[in-house]
């Protein structure tokens, strides 16, 4: 795969880009590149210049695809830096998975151990621990060194680790005699350190499932398990408490500041007791007064690449707006001090910071504006090719075309066996191709070679006479195992419940979950769920009967605080069920009448899927989920019927609704019809416009 990078040298525009980076003629704007070409160019810059390359993408999905392509093309380790969700509430359980990944990537950046980094716009903008403090907080343990065990446990606790009986996840530690276990974000497995007195006698990774050592190591790194560490506030813990006192005094002098005063005083009590809490992000600006983001960690010699610079800039503005809205809500509820409401740099401030690095804008289309005015403008005619999936016949057809046109053609397949199968099929078609599993060299012009590897899409460079065909994700690979669907929120574990949650017992109705408790029945101790009902009624449900209990689903007006509880043994629950059954019957009767009338109305029947429709679907770079595939099939079936379509598609952000809509739009447009996308804000309108321009770029579809 690395040989594909050498082919870039035949493209004059690429050599001009290298010269611009070397000669300080940046920012350089390069248009005409799809996502896979941008990955190709970024990997080429790293290989040719020998410098770290940081690729900034607009969103997580693009970052993941970029990471895969960069790793495949460069053959090197590619790290990803994602944004994390700030925690402003003291939730019972907080996931720090993204935070741990960020800390690992930031540490690698600080240590100069990150040759290729992919990050999102949000990841570069959001506030974090300064580089000097992260370096200071990290500690390396080496074989033979002497350490005070109590001091190490204090270090781990201060670094955000939670003490437990047995280490199972990142950010935990356990101490048993002279054995210290900890799971650092810096390591793929938890580490066991055995002491002989104060000296480290043995060290190695262990399996968290079996708790057995699996590999010996000579050193291990204790990396912070949280980005916000109170001890690093100016003046340490005492300084942080003094700063909180100042905030409390100012809040008391403000009109309507009672809620904020209560929040600050409660948090101060926790900190005075030396304990941490999930909502420490509220005090990020107090603990780290100097604004620091991941941009401050970039190596001095790095090259920064903005993949689709327009979307990156737009995403940065949207993220800052969303943070501002969140901060406003927190200020109104008295959960955040106004002085501490800055959690990210503005995009303009980020562009100023990045002026210290050579920046390349790699885009599909030339833009009317860029984050900073380019000093070099370049353009290239390059084409992204759809993957041929499981159809070897398609690969044969494409290959014959490029060989006849005199291209150097590389066909990437998923395995050695598929390479041999394709070669045999080509031989039957009277086409001679070489098989080079590891692609040691590119073929001559007018020749083809089959290799094992893969990128997210194929590439065509008319200038360099290079074509790369890829198998991509086969049709079988895209299908996922279906899961049974239920219309009730059944509880899989008591961990799904928090004290105070409303629950519904199948036979007794609505109650409030109190706690998980143990009771001795017939001499056997068992786990029970304690549920409070109206009055003083209490019901204990065995943990083995969780299938009888589900979470309460109510309307916004009938929330957890106002819902009337049922009484054990009363008739309220049975009457409620009877009323619900009658209401459902009445609703069903009305719906039957409505849909009978709709069925009698004539409408336009769209044509079955054409070849263009199949090609459009193959170019989708993600693996469709089961829900997407089902919804796509149902919507197409509706559109092909000669009656009015009546369907609502709903789902959370990021679950692929837009792609389902784009396929319906494509089906509509292919029949000569017009489609409209209605969105609530200008920001979303621009976002959907850019997405549509990119998705329909290969087709004669007008998008306004």
């Amino acid at each position: 795969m690395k040989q594909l990078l050498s082919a870039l040298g035949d493209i004059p525009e690429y050599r001009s880009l290298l010269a611009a980076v070397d000669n300080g003629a940046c920012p350089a704007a390069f248009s005409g590149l799809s996502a896979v070409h941008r990955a190709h160019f970024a990997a080429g810059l790293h290989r040719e210049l020998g410098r770290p390359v940081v690729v900034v993408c607009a969103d997580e999905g693009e970052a993941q695809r970029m990471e895969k392509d960069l790793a495949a093309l460069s053959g090197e380790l590619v790290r990803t830096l994602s944004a994390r969700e700030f925690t402003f509430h003291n939730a019972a359980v907080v996931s720090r998975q993204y935070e741990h990944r960020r800390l690992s990537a930031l540490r690698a950046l600080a240590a100069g151990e990150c040759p290729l980094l992919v990050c999102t716009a949000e990841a570069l903008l959001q506030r974090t621990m300064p580089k000097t403090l992260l370096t200071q907080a990290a500690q390396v343990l080496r074989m033979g060194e002497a350490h005070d065990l109590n001091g190490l446990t204090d270090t781990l606790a201060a670094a955000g680790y939670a003490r437990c009986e047995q280490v199972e996840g990142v950010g935990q530690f356990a101490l048993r005699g002279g054995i210290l276990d900890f799971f650092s974000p810096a390591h793929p497995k938890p580490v066991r350190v055995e002491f002989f007195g104060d000296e480290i006698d043995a060290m190695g990774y262990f399996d968290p499932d079996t708790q057995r050592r699996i590999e010996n190591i000579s050193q291990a790194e204790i990396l912070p398990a949280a980005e916000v560490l109170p001890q690093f506030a100016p003046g340490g813990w005492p300084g942080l408490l003094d700063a909180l006192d100042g905030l409390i005094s100012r809040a008391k002098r403000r009109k309507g500041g009672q809620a904020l005063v209560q929040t600050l005083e409660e948090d101060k009590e926790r900190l005075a007791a030396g304990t941490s809490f999930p909502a420490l992000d509220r005090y990020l600006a107090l603990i780290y007064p100097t604004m620091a983001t991941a941009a401050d960690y970039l190596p001095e010699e790095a090259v920064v690449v903005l993949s689709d610079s327009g979307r990156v800039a737009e995403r940065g503005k949207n993220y800052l707006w969303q943070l501002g809205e969140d901060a406003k809500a927190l200020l109104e509820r008295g959960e955040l001090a106004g002085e501490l409401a800055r959690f990210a740099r503005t995009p303009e401030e980020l562009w100023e910071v990045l002026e210290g690095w050579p920046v390349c804008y790699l885009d599909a289309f030339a833009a009317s504006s860029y984050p900073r005015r380019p000093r070099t403008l370049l353009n290239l005619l390059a084409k992204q090719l759809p993957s041929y999936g499981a159809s070897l016949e398609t690969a044969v057809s494409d290959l014959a075309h490029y060989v006849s046109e005199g291209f150097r053609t590389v066909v990437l397949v998923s395995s050695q066996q598929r390479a041999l199968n394709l070669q045999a099929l080509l031989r039957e078609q009277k086409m001679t191709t070489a098989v080079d599993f590891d692609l040691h060299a590119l073929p001559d012009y007018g020749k083809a070679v089959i290799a094992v590897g893969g990128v997210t899409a194929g590439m065509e460079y008319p200038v360099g006479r290079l074509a790369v065909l890829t198998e991509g994700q086969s049709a079988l690979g895209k299908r996922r195992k279906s899961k049974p669907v239920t219309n009730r929120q059944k509880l899989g574990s008591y961990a799904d419940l928090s004290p105070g949650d409303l629950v519904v017992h199948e036979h007794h109705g609505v109650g409030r979950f109190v706690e998980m408790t143990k009771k001795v029945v017939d001499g056997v101790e068992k786990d029970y769920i304690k549920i409070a009902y109206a009055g003083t009624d209490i019901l204990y449900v065995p943990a083995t009967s969780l299938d009888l209990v589900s979470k309460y689903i109510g309307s916004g007006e009938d929330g957890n605080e106002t819902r009337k509880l049922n009484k054990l043994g009363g008739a309220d629950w049975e009457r409620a069920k009877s009323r619900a059954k009658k209401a459902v019957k009445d609703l069903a009767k009305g719906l039957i009448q409505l849909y009978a009338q709709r069925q009698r109305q004539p409408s336009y029947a769209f044509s079955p899927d054409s070849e263009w429709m199949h090609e459009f679907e193959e170019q989708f770079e993600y693996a469709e989920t089961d829900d997407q595939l089902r919804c796509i099939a149902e919507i197409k079936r509706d559109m092909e019927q000669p009656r009015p379509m009546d369907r609502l598609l709903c789902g959370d952000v990021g679950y692929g609704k837009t792609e389902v809509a784009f396929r319906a739009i494509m089906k509509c447009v292919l029949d000569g019809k017009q489609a409209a996308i209605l969105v609530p804000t200008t920001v979303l309108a621009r976002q959907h416009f850019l997405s549509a321009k990119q998705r329909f770029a290969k087709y004669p579809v007008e998008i306004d």
Side-chain angles (χ1 to χ4, degrees):
M1 293 288 285
K2 288 184 180 180
Q3 291 297 325
L4 291 176
L5 303 181
S6 63
L8 290 172
D10 296 335
I11 302 174
E13 292 84 355
Y14 170 75
R15 296 197 299 271
S16 298
L17 180 64
L18 292 175
V21 174
D22 264 343
N23 301 331
C26 287
F30 203 126
S31 58
L33 303 177
S34 69
V36 69
H37 295 110
R38 297 195 283 269
H40 197 193
F41 271 52
L45 287 172
H46 170 63
R47 178 178 181 270
E48 192 69 29
L49 300 174
R51 300 168 65 170
V53 171
V54 177
V55 183
V56 186
C57 298
D59 54 52
E60 289 285 339
E62 185 182 343
Q64 290 173 3
R65 296 192 299 275
M66 179 64 70
E67 179 192 5
K68 292 177 182 176
D69 285 343
L70 277 178
L73 291 164
S74 68
E76 295 192 34
L77 173 66
V78 180
R79 290 183 179 269
T80 301
L81 180 70
S82 302
R84 70 180 179 95
E85 291 287 339
F86 289 116
T87 304
F88 299 120
H89 307 285
N90 287 314
V93 179
V94 176
S95 172
R96 297 193 180 274
Q97 186 177 18
Y98 275 85
E99 198 168 352
H100 295 150
R101 292 178 186 171
R102 278 175 54 82
L103 286 161
S104 178
L106 291 174
R107 175 59 175 160
L109 275 174
E113 300 169 355
C114 190
L116 287 166
L117 175 76
V118 178
C119 62
T120 60
E122 294 101 318
L124 277 188
L125 288 170
Q126 67 177 203
R127 198 168 193 154
T128 187
M129 180 188 301
K131 180 180 176 180
T132 53
L133 294 182
L134 179 60
T135 305
Q136 180 183 338
Q139 181 176 352
V140 178
L141 306 180
R142 296 179 178 84
M143 284 288 296
E145 288 183 341
H147 291 274
D148 176 36
L149 262 176
N150 292 328
L152 278 179
T153 57
D154 292 341
T155 298
L156 287 163
Y161 288 74
R163 187 163 185 169
C164 57
E165 292 293 325
Q166 182 173 292
V167 172
E168 296 176 341
V170 179
Q172 297 178 342
F173 78 95
L175 180 64
R176 300 182 304 279
I179 299 176
L180 174 67
D181 292 346
F182 67 90
F183 202 157
S184 167
H187 297 292
K189 294 283 186 182
V191 175
R192 176 162 296 156
V193 186
E194 299 180 19
F195 286 82
F196 184 76
D198 289 340
E199 184 179 315
I200 296 179
D201 186 52
M203 189 185 306
Y205 294 130
F206 67 91
D207 187 329
D209 295 326
T210 64
Q211 294 290 306
R212 293 183 178 180
R213 187 185 300 185
I214 55 177
E215 181 184 348
N216 291 326
I217 57 176
S218 58
Q219 67 178 41
E221 183 174 17
I222 298 176
L223 194 63
E227 290 188 44
V228 187
L229 300 179
Q231 70 269 24
F232 284 120
W237 286 88
L240 181 57
L241 294 175
D242 290 342
L244 279 172
D245 281 332
L247 287 174
I248 293 170
S249 299
R250 291 191 290 275
K252 286 180 177 178
R253 293 195 294 269
R254 294 181 194 135
K255 185 178 179 180
Q258 294 82 2
L260 177 60
V261 170
Q262 182 179 350
T263 298
L264 294 172
E265 287 180 340
E266 289 175 355
D267 289 347
K268 184 192 169 187
E269 287 180 12
R270 297 186 183 99
L271 291 169
T275 59
S276 183
F277 52 93
L280 268 176
D281 285 338
R282 292 197 287 235
Y283 305 104
L284 190 59
L286 198 64
I287 295 171
Y288 309 129
T290 303
M291 172 64 77
T293 68
D296 300 303
Y297 284 77
L298 302 185
E300 293 181 2
E301 68 279 12
V303 178
V304 179
V305 172
L306 268 59
S307 176
D308 200 343
S309 59
R311 289 187 63 228
V312 169
E314 190 70 32
R315 192 62 178 251
K317 292 177 183 177
N318 292 347
Y319 177 65
L320 202 68
W321 175 84
Q322 185 62 59
L323 275 182
E325 293 299 303
D326 293 343
K328 285 179 187 177
L330 292 168
L331 291 169
E332 290 172 0
R333 295 197 297 267
E335 296 177 4
L336 179 68
E339 302 95 314
L340 310 179
R342 193 157 180 251
F343 297 98
R345 278 194 172 110
T346 64
E348 291 72 22
E349 290 172 335
L350 176 62
W351 309 140
E352 289 178 6
V353 171
L354 293 180
E355 283 184 349
W357 286 271
V359 177
C360 303
Y361 307 134
L362 303 188
D363 300 314
F365 307 100
S368 58
S369 64
Y370 292 95
R372 282 290 181 269
R373 185 176 179 180
R375 298 178 61 187
T376 303
L377 290 172
L378 298 166
N379 178 262
L380 178 67
L381 177 62
K383 183 179 178 182
Q384 177 174 306
L385 305 177
S387 58
Y388 58 83
S391 174
L392 294 180
E393 290 78 7
T394 303
V396 172
S397 173
D398 292 345
L399 186 58
H401 164 72
Y402 285 111
V403 169
S404 66
E405 292 293 324
F407 277 68
R408 291 181 294 172
T409 309
V410 177
V411 186
L412 300 176
V413 295
S414 58
S415 66
Q416 294 185 2
Q417 185 57 53
R418 286 189 69 83
L420 297 174
N421 291 346
L422 179 57
Q423 186 186 41
L425 183 61
L426 291 169
R427 193 177 295 121
E428 292 175 3
Q429 302 292 326
K430 309 301 182 183
M431 292 183 62
T432 304
T433 54
V435 171
D436 183 357
F437 295 136
D438 297 321
L439 193 62
H440 295 96
L442 291 175
D444 294 331
Y445 292 98
K447 301 291 184 182
V449 65
I450 305 171
V452 176
V455 286
T456 54
M459 298 179 284
E460 177 190 318
Y461 291 103
V463 174
R465 311 294 288 172
L466 173 70
V468 179
L469 308 179
T470 182
E471 188 175 26
Q473 293 174 316
S474 68
L476 292 175
K478 283 190 173 185
R479 303 299 184 260
R480 299 182 181 180
K481 187 176 179 181
S482 60
K483 297 179 180 179
V485 178
T486 174
N487 64 342
R488 294 190 62 208
Q489 287 189 329
K490 291 293 187 181
L491 299 175
S493 166
Y494 70 87
D496 295 339
L497 292 173
S498 300
D501 284 353
L502 288 180
V503 294
V504 181
H505 191 283
E506 197 166 312
H507 305 308
H508 303 291
V510 180
R512 196 177 299 278
F513 171 71
V514 178
E515 63 179 356
M516 191 74 181
T517 185
K518 294 181 181 293
K519 294 181 71 68
V520 178
V521 178
D522 295 331
V524 179
E525 186 179 63
K526 295 182 179 180
D527 290 325
Y528 286 80
I529 296 172
K530 183 178 179 181
I531 302 176
Y533 282 84
T536 58
D537 292 349
I538 297 291
L539 176 68
Y540 291 92
V541 180
T544 53
S545 299
L546 274 177
D547 58 314
L548 296 176
V549 181
S550 60
K551 280 189 176 181
Y552 173 78
I553 307 172
S555 66
E557 297 176 355
D558 199 13
N560 278 10
E561 299 302 322
T562 60
R563 176 65 170 87
K564 182 180 178 181
L565 304 183
N566 292 124
K567 186 174 180 64
L568 282 180
D572 289 347
W573 178 237
E574 291 302 320
R575 284 198 296 268
K577 288 198 291 185
S578 298
R579 287 196 301 270
K581 289 177 181 177
K582 183 179 184 301
V584 169
K585 288 181 180 179
D586 292 342
L587 177 63
K589 182 178 179 182
L591 286 175
I592 289 171
Q593 293 173 348
L594 171 65
Y595 280 91
Q597 184 178 354
R598 289 182 63 86
Q599 292 286 345
R600 291 194 294 269
Q601 297 294 322
S603 181
Y604 181 83
F606 288 91
S607 304
D609 287 357
S610 65
E611 286 300 316
W612 272 21
M613 188 70 199
H614 294 310
E615 180 181 333
F616 179 83
E617 292 180 320
E618 278 297 317
Q619 288 179 335
F620 184 47
E621 296 175 330
Y622 296 92
E624 296 93 340
T625 64
D626 291 331
D627 287 339
Q628 276 183 308
L629 294 171
R630 177 174 57 83
C631 293
I632 289 165
E634 290 173 352
I635 289 172
K636 286 182 180 179
R637 187 168 63 247
D638 281 357
M639 294 178 71
E640 292 172 10
Q641 298 298 317
R643 61 174 181 266
M645 179 174 177
D646 184 17
R647 182 173 292 276
L648 172 69
L649 175 68
C650 57
D652 210 340
V653 176
Y655 278 71
K657 300 186 298 297
T658 304
E659 173 61 23
V660 177
F662 280 172
R663 297 189 186 196
I665 289 168
M666 185 64 166
K667 193 173 185 67
C668 174
V669 168
L670 288 175
D671 263 22
K673 301 293 183 181
Q674 188 180 48
I677 303 175
L678 306 183
V679 293
T681 67
T682 305
V683 171
L684 280 175
R686 176 162 177 79
Q687 178 182 328
H688 280 73
F689 173 76
L690 293 174
S691 298
K693 291 285 283 186
Q694 181 181 16
R695 194 71 176 87
F696 292 89
K698 288 185 58 180
Y699 303 95
V701 179
E702 285 189 28
I703 302 170
D704 291 319

